[in-house]
Amino acid sequence: MRDFHILAKPIGPVCNLACTYCFYLEKEILFPGRQGPADWTMPDSVLERFIRQYIASQPQDVVHFAWQGGEPTLLGVDFFRKVVALQQKHARGKRIENALQTNGILLDDGWCGFLAENRFLIGLSIDGPGELQDRYRVGKGGAPTFNRVARSMGLLKKHGVEFNTL
């Protein structure tokens, strides 16, 4: 059996930013009638089946999960508590590792405590110094985001969460 990797998008294209260069936000229009994050969230039955089957399909002793969006933190920390519980339930002796790509806007002490405790690797999206970040990575109403992302970076450091910037 050969190794392979899947990038999970449990909230699809939904994001809390409106980056000027984003090609993914327009995907929401392909699914008319969906309103907020609840309409996009991966159902529990699909989540458990995905986790169980993905772990079972991996031949190695370490299984890597990668979570992306849109913006996966819109699902809330309880969704990822459920993810970790399901991974533990289906691990069958394998070590599970998680990576999560985020814009960092919603990270707080609660999130960072959870991420540290469960050893998530975080990819923090940032476009560079404030003048670049605030020009291209803006909120839905055009609000700047650099200070919020910088605050989140500080929280990740404070809690000892391993992260990289993209």
Side-chain angles (χ1 to χ4, degrees):
M1 184 182 293
R2 298 192 60 119
D3 294 356
F4 66 95
H5 187 75
I6 294 175
L7 180 64
K9 295 180 173 275
I11 195 162
V14 179
C15 188
N16 53 346
L17 295 185
C19 301
T20 60
Y21 52 76
C22 184
F23 62 90
Y24 203 62
L25 288 177
E26 65 193 36
K27 303 299 183 205
E28 288 185 50
I29 64 173
L30 297 175
F31 302 92
R34 294 190 184 184
Q35 299 296 317
D39 287 342
W40 292 90
T41 303
M42 182 184 288
D44 288 350
S45 61
V46 174
L47 178 65
E48 183 163 12
R49 192 171 358 168
F50 164 65
I51 289 171
R52 179 178 41 79
Q53 290 177 352
Y54 186 61
I55 292 170
S57 70
Q58 297 299 305
Q60 67 277 16
D61 292 332
V62 180
V63 180
H64 302 274
F65 282 83
W67 305 95
Q68 198 175 56
E71 177 50 42
T73 61
L74 285 169
L75 293 166
V77 73
D78 286 340
F79 177 87
F80 286 95
R81 283 191 179 98
K82 185 179 350 178
V83 163
V84 169
L86 290 169
Q87 289 171 335
Q88 291 170 350
K89 175 181 176 182
H90 297 290
R92 298 182 345 191
K94 295 183 178 185
R95 189 174 89 230
I96 307 296
E97 295 184 352
N98 286 288
L100 185 137
Q101 183 65 37
T102 180
N103 59 38
I105 298 298
L106 298 177
L107 295 181
D108 59 17
D109 281 312
W111 259 110
C112 291
F114 166 81
L115 296 169
E117 178 183 337
N118 293 284
R119 297 180 25 232
F120 273 64
L121 170 63
I122 301 303
L124 185 64
S125 298
I126 188 166
D127 282 1
E131 60 272 9
L132 290 177
Q133 172 82 10
D134 289 342
R135 181 172 181 184
Y136 299 109
R137 294 185 68 79
V138 296
K140 294 283 188 183
T145 60
F146 179 80
N147 288 339
R148 294 170 77 185
V149 175
R151 176 195 52 81
S152 293
M153 190 181 302
L155 288 171
L156 291 168
K157 290 177 184 179
K158 170 185 163 186
H159 288 272
V161 178
E162 186 177 350
F163 74 96
N164 54 51
T165 56
L166 300 171

